[in-house]
């Protein structure tokens, strides 16, 4: 039974990190006049209401996008996605990753999304009519759809990590996926945890993909004792310029990083 709901966490500092890099990567990739595929294994509901009870309960968006909004120039692809979402859905709306992607992608690009939770999948379909949404396991969806057509493209894997075996299983999943789709940009989001549970997985990933890039940022826990103290994005086949953009983001996150 799935209990994770992204509405409690939407717009937190991990989302700012993940979504800013996602928007930048796709914006870079659409500069080439060649269609691409965009796939997501764990899509969520695409539109979140930061004035809702979920966001109020955790206060994560108040410590996240509410602080970070001014970090980005108006023409940064993440700032553009945020502005468009708010123009379309209201001043307190926040775009999930599928909406960030659709804001950047073009008519000719192919979008395939998986979301297992029935209510989230229904909300996703309602938010993005005409987009292919599978209410299915995202790992299985990715392996069955890859290599996609068009071959150029990006896949975001953003699990909720509530299934603890995901930490053991993800390296093998990415290995199989990369074997099927060697040219795909594969982006995996992971939490940076005080108990270091993510570390063995990351070591295995770096052994498997020596040329991949992992970018992490640190931030204070959302509440005292909360285990997540940073956000990581592991990218196989990162687009040219990714490291420079990630370094720019590191400088922005230094404003909230705990002093050591
Ligand atoms: N990617 C979204 C974003 O950035 O806006 C957030 C996704 S949230 C971290 C993870 C989502 O995965 C949840 O909506 C959850 O219902 C869904 N989920 C959990 N297990 C799944 C699975 N095996 N396959 C597909 N979706 C799953």
């Amino acid at each position: 039974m799935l209990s994770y709901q992204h509405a409690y966490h939407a717009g937190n500092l991990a989302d700012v990190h993940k979504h800013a890099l996602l928007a930048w990567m796709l914006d870079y990739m659409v500069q080439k006049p060649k269609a691409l595929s965009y796939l997501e294994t764990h899509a969520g509901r695409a539109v979140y209401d930061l004035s809702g009870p979920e966001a109020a309960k955790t206060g994560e968006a108040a410590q996240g996008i509410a602080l970070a909004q001014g970090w980005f120039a108006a023409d940064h692809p993440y700032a553009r996605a945020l502005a468009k979402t708010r123009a379309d859905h209201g001043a307190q709306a926040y775009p999930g990753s599928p909406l960030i992607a659709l804001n950047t992608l073009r008519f000719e690009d192919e979008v395939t999304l998986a979301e297992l939770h029935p209510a989230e999948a229904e909300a996703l379909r309602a938010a993005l009519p005409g987009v292919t949404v599978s209410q299915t396991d995202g790992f299985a969806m990715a392996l069955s759809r890859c290599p996609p057509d068009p071959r150029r493209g990006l896949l975001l894997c953003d699990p909720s990590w509530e299934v603890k075996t995901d930490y053991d299983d993800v390296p093998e999943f990415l290995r199989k996926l990369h074997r099927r789709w060697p040219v795909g940009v594969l982006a995996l989001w992971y939490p940076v945890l005080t108990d270091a549970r993510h570390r063995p997985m990351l070591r295995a990933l770096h052994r498997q993909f020596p040329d991949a890039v992992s970018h992490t940022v640190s931030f204070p826990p959302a509440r005292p004792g909360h285990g997540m103290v940073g956000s990581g994005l592991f990218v196989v086949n990162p687009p040219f310029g990714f490291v420079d953009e990630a370094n720019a983001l590191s400088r922005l996150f230094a404003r909230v990083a705990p002093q050591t």
Side-chain angles (χ1 to χ4, degrees), residues 32-179:
K32 227 186 201 176
K34 214 171 165 212
L36 54 82
S37 296
Y38 177 72
L39 299 96
E40 269 205 53
T41 54
H42 299 71
R45 57 170 49 218
V47 186
Y48 298 92
D49 175 10
L50 300 187
S51 64
E54 295 91 348
K57 185 166 181 199
T58 61
E60 290 185 26
Q63 301 167 51
I65 186 59
L67 290 179
Q69 218 166 306
W71 293 358
F72 299 89
D75 64 349
H76 189 285
Y78 176 50
R80 289 203 312 258
L82 188 61
K84 173 84 168 67
T85 302
R86 292 187 166 170
D88 291 349
H89 298 278
Q92 292 301 316
Y94 183 78
S97 44
L99 199 52
I100 302 256
L102 281 168
N103 188 65
T104 307
L105 294 171
R106 304 149 303 184
F107 179 73
E108 62 270 30
D109 299 325
E110 284 292 327
V111 178
T112 307
L113 309 171
E115 169 53 56
L116 191 55
H117 193 292
E120 298 298 291
E122 196 184 317
L124 181 59
R125 287 196 180 107
L128 307 179
V131 171
T132 306
V133 173
S134 306
Q135 196 215 316
T136 183
D137 173 56
F139 298 113
M141 180 282 281
L143 291 174
S144 71
R145 299 285 179 100
C146 289
D149 182 18
R151 289 270 168 137
R152 238 185 117 236
L154 184 151
L155 176 139
L156 174 66
C157 180
D158 182 21
S160 45
W161 302 103
E162 62 185 319
V163 179
K164 297 307 167 212
T165 50
D166 280 355
Y167 290 100
D168 296 326
D169 297 343
V170 157
E172 178 60 7
F173 163 69
L174 279 189
R175 192 189 65 77
K176 286 185 183 156
L177 195 61
H178 179 65
R179 209 173 49 192

